[in-house]
Amino acid sequence: MAYSVNTSHIIFALLTGLAPSLIWLYFWLHRDKKRPEPFGMLAICFLLGAGAVLIAGFLQKGVKDVLTDPHVRVAVWAGIEEVLKFLIFLIVAYKSKANNEAIDPAMYMITIALGFAALENVLYIMKPGINFSVTAGLLTGGLRFFGSTLLHAIASGFVGIVIGLAPRATKGLFMVVGLGGAVFLHSTFNAFILKNTTASFLQVYGYLWVTAIISLIILEKLKRI
């Protein structure tokens, strides 16, 4: 049953949209629980990541009518999102004294990404033109928990992992490689979604979770560096 949107529905959308990101944020930050990043820095990264959604939406809207091929469009849209998240890390956290361990860039990038995913989830649930439904909201939140929210963490986390592994003299080159890898992961996910078939959804979730497991293994290695 659909409902007209009111304050209680907005609050519900906020909670449903934020929950996937906050759960994943706890999970990923727990990888570095012995030497956690400063809460204030993480909060800034999360909020700026959320704010980047508005900039990304503006830029994506600008290229929507220019790029007619849907596969090219989703790749460019993925690039816009990953570049914005990376720029936040570069400006806010990269030169910070708190960024002093190999695992730290991944923690900051994941936090930024999950902030981005949080607001994206909320806006998706409250999408204009669609009647609000509690059932649909819960289903959307659940699907995004296992899908796009995790994707944002993995794609941006990949950039942080590559930076953490990079020798000091070649950090810039590794940043480019990491960013390219993040765009590839993100756009590949989007390409599977575009197929809109049962097989493609099974493929994309398999692809996503295999990548997540590999990321976890690498993060465990980074903790020891």
Side-chain angles (χ1 to χ4, degrees):
M1 180 178 179
Y3 301 84
S4 61
V5 177
N6 57 36
T7 303
S8 64
H9 297 149
I10 293 173
I11 293 173
F12 174 82
L14 285 170
L15 294 175
T16 308
L18 285 171
S21 283
L22 294 178
I23 293 170
W24 278 124
L25 184 61
Y26 174 80
F27 173 83
W28 290 105
L29 292 181
H30 197 64
R31 305 308 98 199
D32 193 29
K33 63 179 180 179
K34 290 185 178 179
R35 292 186 291 271
E37 313 312 314
F39 176 81
M41 180 66 77
L42 292 174
I44 291 170
C45 287
F46 188 88
L47 292 173
L48 289 176
V53 172
L54 305 178
I55 301 173
F58 174 78
L59 295 175
Q60 288 167 340
K61 186 177 181 181
V63 302
K64 182 178 180 180
D65 296 328
V66 177
L67 304 173
T68 55
D69 187 317
H71 291 90
V72 174
R73 184 187 298 161
V74 296
V76 172
W77 283 6
I80 289 171
E81 293 180 9
E82 295 306 327
V83 167
L84 286 173
K85 289 182 284 184
F86 172 70
L87 287 175
I88 292 171
F89 166 75
L90 204 61
I91 294 169
V92 175
Y94 181 61
K95 294 293 186 179
S96 169
K97 293 180 180 179
N99 182 32
N100 55 10
E101 297 175 303
I103 196 174
D104 289 351
M107 295 297 99
Y108 287 121
M109 285 298 303
I110 288 171
T111 302
I112 294 165
L114 289 174
F116 188 101
L119 185 56
E120 189 179 64
N121 290 345
V122 172
L123 295 176
Y124 193 90
I125 292 170
M126 298 297 297
K127 193 173 182 180
I130 297 179
N131 289 330
F132 185 86
S133 167
V134 172
T135 302
L138 289 171
L139 181 60
T140 299
L143 288 173
R144 293 183 73 83
F145 174 83
F146 291 107
S148 59
T149 303
L150 178 58
L151 166 73
H152 277 291
I154 291 173
S156 296
F158 178 80
V159 182
I161 286 172
V162 172
I163 294 172
L165 292 172
R168 186 177 296 274
T170 55
K171 287 283 186 185
L173 175 62
F174 274 69
M175 286 179 180
V176 174
V177 171
L179 193 55
V183 174
F184 174 79
L185 289 170
H186 197 148
S187 56
T188 301
F189 175 90
N190 289 346
F192 276 117
I193 295 296
L194 270 180
K195 294 180 181 179
N196 198 28
T197 64
T198 301
S200 67
F201 277 101
L202 292 174
Q203 289 172 337
V204 75
Y205 280 105
Y207 157 82
L208 196 55
W209 282 89
V210 168
T211 309
I213 292 169
I214 293 172
S215 298
L216 280 172
I217 293 171
I218 297 174
L219 286 176
E220 289 300 316
K221 299 292 184 183
L222 282 177
K223 283 165 60 175
R224 301 185 179 95
I225 298 177

